[in-house]
Amino acid sequence: MKILLAAINAKYIHSNLAVYCLKAYAKMHCQSEYGNGEIEIEIGEYTINQQIDDIMRDVYERQPDVLCLSCYIWNLKYVEELIREMKKVRPDLIIWTGGPEVSYDAPEVLKRLPEVAGVMKGEGEKTFCEVSMAYLQAEKENGNLKVSDERFSEIDGITYRDSEGMIKENAWREPMDLSEVPFVYDQLEDFEHKIIYYETSRGCPFSCSYCLSSIDKRLRFRGLDLVFKELQFFLDHKVPQVKFVDRTFNCKHDHAKAIWQYISEHDNGITNFHFEVSADLLNEEELNIITGMRPGLIQLEIGVQSTNADTIREIHRTMNLEELAKKVDRVNRAGNIHQHLDLIAGLPFEDLKSFAKSFDDVYRMRPEQLQLGFLKVLKGSYMESKKENYGLQYKSLPPYEVLSTKWISYEEILHLKGIEEMVEVYYNSRQFEETIEALEKEYESAFSMFEKMWEFYKHEQYHQVNHKRSERYEILLRFVAEYHPDQVEYFRELLTYDYYLRENAKSRPSFAGEEVLTKEEFRQFYETEDKERRYLKSYEKYDKNQLRKMTHLEKFPLLQKTVLFDYLERNPLTQDARICVVDCTENHCKG
């Protein structure tokens, strides 16, 4: 008997931890059957960017007896199409679904998809194992895969069709001990060029109304002895990034502290670890550990969602905004951790004016990234149950994104989407830091600045075109020329500075204008540096011509400085070049 666990991911670099856990757990608990070769379980990972025909071909050629599909908001439409088409070419194929997008309305899924035999609800390791064994038992006893109604009725965590086609819904399965889940990354070659996802807890202690994690209150943790062993495996193999999928990693202080301490003490200088945390819960011990880490060793994702007190209360979110701001600032001052802060548009009691304030409140915290997201009304969430009260309109198909509420119109949602684009391009890219910081001073708030930029983009119809990086600089300079014409040359210099801070470009961008330094000044600087090595001590094995190719020298008259951009010693957190500043009165090196 052959089972195919299929995962259709959003991107190629993603991997699906769930299907690997299902296979590993089944292999461990069906060991005798595996040993005899009676159960063969394969994993097929695909993406929503692939042609449906290509996936159908691969599934068909693998010839599984049972196909199990993992369903999420980003792939459900795609999965449903695959199910319908596969059943046409393999009428005998038994199809099961699982995952958060089908767990909370399983009977409706089976009504909508007559091709599907059943849904595995919620936590799936034990359920998948028992379903697999049920099919194997049927094959042994009957010579076919027709499982008796009595056998299926004994399996918790499934909704299925009985022998007469009636939909039966069994009880949800009790949560398992997370330490029972086997480690799935023994064969790292299967995950080459992909993000490694890792889990040390399930469930969430909080009750945020928009989130499905709040439904599972039974918070469980993987044993630290196992965690340390597995972390060391990642470190020994120099995995580039490990992304923890724990919903609130630091909700249990001793667990978080122990893991952060281990990572800090065993740092290999390469691996980066990503965590979702509640910043206001960070205590002094934890802050001391993480702010003392190598720059780039960890990064933090922090959900703020809103700073409107009425909104926070209505969505049942637990957050001390003042404490959160203090902790974010503490981490910022350490300068060694990338912080990603999230906001959600479309929440109750949040109109456009309120959201603008939330945006400005979070922007002042100066995260490396500010993610402006839009409410997704997930099936089974408390938010869905309140849709009538909130006048909540949202898309009927995944990802069920908000269209309007009592407090915010569709037109305003579209306006925020434009501002989101401006934030992504001009803030989150980190390619315009000096320019944007100076431009902010011309506006009463950061939100109003990005709002004005979006209006300019729309007016000039720039939003309908995909732009190269250099064009984004030119567009921003045109924006300055339109609204701040007396400062064009000043901002031209700032844009040029930002450009060379990241880019060792030997072809001068058009927006930068003519070079100010003469050829003779260039020649003299590099000849002197070749002899004295005053600024480029790390370039000892290179001659003056190589120095010139590997660095960039630029004079900024209005900024009153000449800058040497050193691309060999980049900032490990931002990847900005190290800069050496030379001015008229004093020569000094700035790291």
Side-chain angles (χ1 to χ4, degrees):
M1 184 182 70
K2 185 174 183 179
I3 301 174
L4 176 61
L5 289 164
I8 301 176
N9 302 321
K11 296 179 181 179
Y12 172 76
I13 61 167
H14 295 170
S15 57
N16 186 298
L17 178 60
V19 293
Y20 287 93
C21 287
L22 297 187
K23 179 179 177 179
Y25 185 88
K27 184 174 181 179
M28 176 178 286
H29 292 274
C30 307
Q31 192 62 50
S32 61
E33 286 75 15
Y34 266 85
N36 296 329
E38 294 176 305
I39 298 180
E40 181 183 358
I41 300 178
E42 289 186 2
I43 289 175
E45 285 201 273
Y46 315 97
T47 81
I48 58 174
N49 300 311
Q50 289 179 256
Q51 294 293 321
I52 197 85
D53 285 346
D54 293 337
I55 299 178
M56 284 182 64
R57 176 194 294 273
D58 187 72
V59 173
Y60 184 85
E61 290 180 348
R62 289 174 183 250
Q63 286 295 303
D65 298 296
V66 181
L67 173 64
C68 299
L69 290 150
S70 191
C71 302
Y72 302 89
I73 56 173
W74 64 80
N75 73 5
L76 184 64
K77 184 178 178 183
Y78 200 103
V79 167
E80 291 192 358
E81 182 181 354
L82 178 64
I83 288 170
R84 292 186 177 103
E85 303 306 328
M86 279 305 307
K87 198 68 173 178
K88 292 174 185 176
V89 297
R90 279 286 311 276
D92 61 324
L93 182 62
I94 299 168
I95 301 175
W96 282 74
T97 63
E101 194 48 39
V102 293
S103 288
Y104 299 96
D105 64 341
E108 293 303 315
V109 171
L110 294 183
K111 290 175 186 175
R112 186 170 71 247
L113 295 170
E115 301 86 355
V116 173
V119 175
M120 300 183 206
K121 304 180 292 188
E123 195 169 60
E125 285 88 355
K126 290 185 176 180
T127 303
F128 172 72
C129 183
E130 291 183 19
V131 169
S132 300
M133 293 301 294
Y135 281 115
L136 179 63
Q137 182 183 4
E139 185 180 49
K140 285 182 175 181
E141 294 175 357
N142 311 321
N144 58 47
L145 298 181
K146 293 182 179 179
V147 178
S148 69
D149 295 343
E150 182 181 5
R151 180 70 182 90
F152 270 150
S153 70
E154 297 169 350
I155 300 176
D156 287 344
I158 64 170
T159 300
Y160 64 99
R161 299 182 199 280
D162 67 14
S163 57
E164 296 181 357
M166 300 296 291
I167 295 172
K168 301 291 185 179
E169 187 157 27
N170 291 358
W172 283 68
R173 183 173 295 277
E174 287 297 312
M176 66 186 294
D177 180 347
L178 197 55
S179 294
E180 293 179 13
V181 179
F183 185 61
V184 303
Y185 292 111
D186 292 330
Q187 304 297 320
L188 264 180
E189 59 270 19
D190 295 340
F191 301 92
E192 192 173 359
H193 308 306
K194 294 197 174 187
I195 297 172
I196 298 293
Y197 294 97
Y198 182 62
E199 179 180 46
T200 71
S201 68
R202 285 183 185 171
C204 183
F206 303 117
S207 303
C208 303
S209 65
Y210 51 83
C211 181
L212 290 181
S213 295
S214 64
I215 294 173
D216 186 357
K217 290 297 178 191
R218 293 154 293 191
L219 190 58
R220 294 146 284 151
F221 295 88
R222 193 165 180 82
L224 285 173
D225 54 340
L226 279 176
V227 171
F228 294 155
K229 178 182 176 183
E230 291 158 1
L231 290 177
Q232 194 58 52
F233 177 88
F234 296 137
L235 292 163
D236 290 344
H237 287 81
K238 295 181 170 55
V239 171
Q241 185 181 59
V242 177
K243 192 164 186 177
F244 279 64
V245 296
D246 304 47
R247 298 312 303 157
T248 305
F249 175 75
N250 62 325
C251 63
K252 185 180 179 185
H253 290 294
D254 57 350
H255 182 82
K257 186 181 74 170
I259 291 173
W260 280 334
Q261 188 70 53
Y262 189 91
I263 288 171
S264 180
E265 292 174 356
H266 296 81
D267 179 20
N268 62 10
I270 295 171
T271 304
N272 162 267
F273 296 89
H274 176 103
F275 302 91
E276 292 186 34
V277 302
S278 287
D280 52 317
L281 297 182
L282 291 169
N283 62 32
E284 192 64 24
E285 275 189 289
E286 292 163 347
L287 284 166
N288 285 336
I289 293 170
I290 65 176
T291 57
M293 289 177 172
R294 163 180 63 85
L297 174 56
I298 71 168
Q299 58 193 55
L300 302 179
E301 183 172 347
I302 300 162
V304 182
Q305 320 314 8
S306 173
T307 65
N308 182 319
D310 291 334
T311 298
I312 294 298
R313 185 166 48 252
E314 183 66 19
I315 64 176
H316 306 157
R317 185 158 177 77
T318 303
M319 180 179 70
N320 184 322
L321 183 62
E322 185 179 349
E323 279 299 307
L324 184 146
K326 286 180 181 177
K327 305 298 172 58
V328 168
D329 179 63
R330 169 81 176 273
V331 173
N332 267 342
R333 284 186 281 112
N336 66 325
I337 296 172
H338 174 106
Q339 294 188 98
H340 175 139
L341 271 59
D342 296 331
L343 285 171
I344 297 178
L347 293 173
F349 295 103
E350 188 100 273
D351 58 15
L352 186 62
K353 182 178 179 180
S354 168
F355 187 84
K357 182 182 181 303
S358 290
F359 181 94
D360 287 328
D361 288 341
V362 174
Y363 191 89
R364 278 191 293 271
M365 298 180 198
R366 296 291 176 184
E368 277 67 35
Q369 286 201 321
L370 197 172
Q371 182 69 47
L372 198 170
F374 294 83
L375 177 65
K376 311 295 190 296
V377 186
L378 304 179
K379 295 173 185 174
S381 67
Y382 179 77
M383 184 67 69
E384 184 193 29
S385 72
K386 299 285 284 184
K387 60 187 177 185
E388 302 296 334
N389 304 60
Y390 299 153
L392 188 53
Q393 296 292 330
Y394 57 95
K395 291 181 180 177
S396 301
L397 297 175
Y400 313 114
E401 191 171 88
V402 64
L403 297 171
S404 64
T405 72
K406 284 167 58 175
W407 300 274
I408 195 164
S409 68
Y410 178 58
E411 183 177 355
E412 290 168 328
I413 289 288
L414 292 177
H415 185 61
L416 289 178
K417 283 186 174 289
I419 292 171
E420 176 199 24
E421 183 181 339
M422 296 298 95
V423 172
E424 282 296 312
V425 171
Y426 291 109
Y427 184 81
N428 288 344
S429 71
R430 312 310 295 173
Q431 295 169 1
F432 305 86
E433 289 187 61
E434 297 292 327
T435 306
I436 292 298
E437 188 172 335
L439 193 58
E440 287 169 32
K441 297 172 184 175
E442 304 298 318
Y443 294 86
E444 63 180 26
S445 71
F447 185 86
S448 62
M449 176 186 69
F450 288 114
E451 192 172 42
K452 196 70 173 177
M453 290 166 65
W454 172 239
E455 290 171 4
F456 178 72
Y457 256 70
K458 278 205 304 182
H459 183 267
E460 300 297 326
Q461 297 187 343
Y462 292 140
H463 64 302
Q464 298 177 351
V465 181
N466 289 324
H467 300 282
K468 295 186 296 185
R469 181 186 167 193
S470 59
E471 289 175 331
R472 297 289 191 181
Y473 289 82
E474 292 174 10
I475 292 171
L476 190 52
L477 192 60
R478 289 176 210 146
F479 172 80
V480 170
E482 178 72 21
Y483 296 105
H484 312 282
D486 57 332
Q487 298 192 67
V488 169
E489 293 309 313
Y490 171 66
F491 278 100
R492 185 193 305 280
E493 288 194 5
L494 287 173
L495 283 165
T496 304
Y497 180 92
D498 277 329
Y499 186 81
Y500 283 114
L501 196 60
R502 285 287 188 91
E503 190 88 12
N504 183 13
K506 297 311 173 187
S507 176
R508 191 171 183 81
S510 59
F511 68 83
E514 297 296 322
E515 287 185 359
V516 178
L517 284 170
T518 66
K519 291 183 179 179
E520 179 60 20
E521 286 173 316
F522 270 115
R523 186 186 64 78
Q524 287 182 356
F525 175 84
Y526 283 103
E527 281 190 356
T528 302
E529 187 59 25
D530 191 29
K531 296 172 184 175
E532 298 180 2
R533 302 292 167 153
R534 185 173 182 185
Y535 303 113
L536 301 173
K537 295 183 179 5
S538 299
Y539 290 74
E540 293 173 351
K541 61 182 179 181
Y542 303 107
D543 61 28
K544 62 183 179 183
N545 293 324
Q546 291 171 311
L547 294 183
R548 192 163 177 171
K549 289 179 181 179
M550 298 170 70
T551 64
H552 179 76
L553 188 66
E554 184 81 22
K555 187 173 184 178
F556 301 96
L558 296 179
L559 300 180
Q560 298 184 349
K561 59 185 177 183
T562 300
V563 177
L564 177 67
F565 297 88
D566 171 9
Y567 301 107
L568 194 62
E569 293 189 21
R570 291 180 181 267
N571 182 309
L573 196 63
T574 65
Q575 292 304 302
D576 288 347
R578 182 179 70 96
I579 58 171
C580 296
V581 181
V582 181
D583 61 32
C584 303
T585 59
E586 181 184 3
N587 292 349
H588 62 282
C589 190
K590 180 180 178 183

